[in-house]
Amino acid sequence: KNKKKETEGEGGEDGESKQPETWIDNIAGASALGRRRLVRVIDSGDKRLLLYAAAKRLLVADFASATLIECEQPHTERVSAIASHDGKFMVSGGQDKKLVVWELPSMKIKSQTTTDKKIVAAVIDHSGTNVVFAEKAGEVFSKPIADPEAKSTHLLGHISSLTDMALSSSGNRLLTADRDEKIRISYYPA
């Protein structure tokens, strides 16, 4: 028989309550934490980077040398979105409402701005000029990367919270998914 050991957590690192965990969750790692973890692999010229968003910390490792790359930690709350473009730059966003643009592979911050909403997903358009980001309540916005002070443009909205977002390979369709299992395909730019 498979016996499950259940424990109740006091509260997570970010003030979130932990879900009851089983021994399988402990083996699996991130599933025991009761929240989504981000792991991305980005090819950046001659380097291949592994990015891991661990709460408000962003850990970056170089595949070739198997070393951690030191980088600033501008986020004050959980990082919930990472998007990259052509291995030249990437954008991170999080619960602290910050959008941070990074140079790759150096992991130096190019710019950062604060939005009005908590960010749950992000993509960069194929031209590399705009970041499209979704906020927790289901609204999707676009913002120019080159001008961090520019106002965000509202693109579309869902009734419930968004869980993920992607651009089509042609770059003219934006796919959004919400927690009610609805997928929307919209023209981009709107």
Side-chain angles (χ1 to χ4, degrees):
K1 280 186 174 179
N2 243 353
K3 290 190 178 183
K4 293 182 180 178
K5 176 187 165 193
E6 299 215 348
T7 59
E8 293 294 328
E10 298 275 326
E13 177 181 326
D14 298 338
E16 298 175 3
S17 64
K18 286 187 179 179
Q19 302 295 321
E21 38 183 285
T22 66
W23 66 272
I24 293 173
D25 288 333
N26 288 331
I27 293 168
S31 64
L33 300 172
R35 61 185 147 212
R36 185 174 140 199
R37 293 288 191 208
L38 285 177
V39 177
R40 298 282 189 272
V41 175
I42 298 175
D43 287 314
S44 178
D46 60 340
K47 286 193 177 187
R48 192 165 201 202
L49 305 175
L50 173 71
L51 288 94
Y52 176 70
K56 60 186 173 185
R57 280 187 54 82
L58 191 61
L59 303 175
V60 184
D62 180 354
F63 267 92
S65 64
T67 58
L68 282 176
I69 297 173
E70 293 292 324
C71 62
E72 291 181 56
Q73 300 295 329
H75 291 284
T76 56
E77 292 185 42
R78 185 169 64 94
V79 177
S80 51
I82 296 173
S84 68
H85 180 72
D86 290 341
K88 296 176 184 162
F89 63 91
M90 73 164 214
V91 173
S92 63
Q95 301 297 304
D96 58 2
K97 304 177 185 178
K98 285 184 185 174
L99 272 175
V100 181
V101 180
W102 305 79
E103 289 180 6
L104 294 177
S106 66
M107 290 305 295
K108 302 278 187 230
I109 295 175
K110 282 177 75 171
S111 66
Q112 58 182 316
T113 186
T114 303
T115 65
D116 295 333
K117 309 287 183 176
K118 295 180 180 183
I119 300 164
V120 296
V123 295
I124 297 172
D125 67 8
H126 289 332
S127 66
T129 56
N130 293 305
V131 61
V132 179
F133 62 95
E135 55 94 12
K136 204 168 192 167
E139 303 300 317
V140 178
F141 299 89
S142 176
K143 187 174 186 83
I145 291 173
D147 184 7
E149 301 304 316
K151 189 173 174 168
S152 300
T153 305
H154 183 266
L155 298 178
L156 60 97
H158 278 246
I159 303 278
S160 67
S161 298
L162 285 179
T163 56
D164 209 354
M165 178 171 54
L167 274 174
S168 65
S169 58
S170 64
N172 62 1
R173 301 280 192 280
L174 181 65
L175 294 82
T176 52
D178 66 27
R179 73 171 188 201
D180 290 338
E181 300 178 0
K182 291 187 180 90
I183 296 173
R184 177 185 240 174
I185 302 171
S186 306
Y187 287 107
Y188 180 81

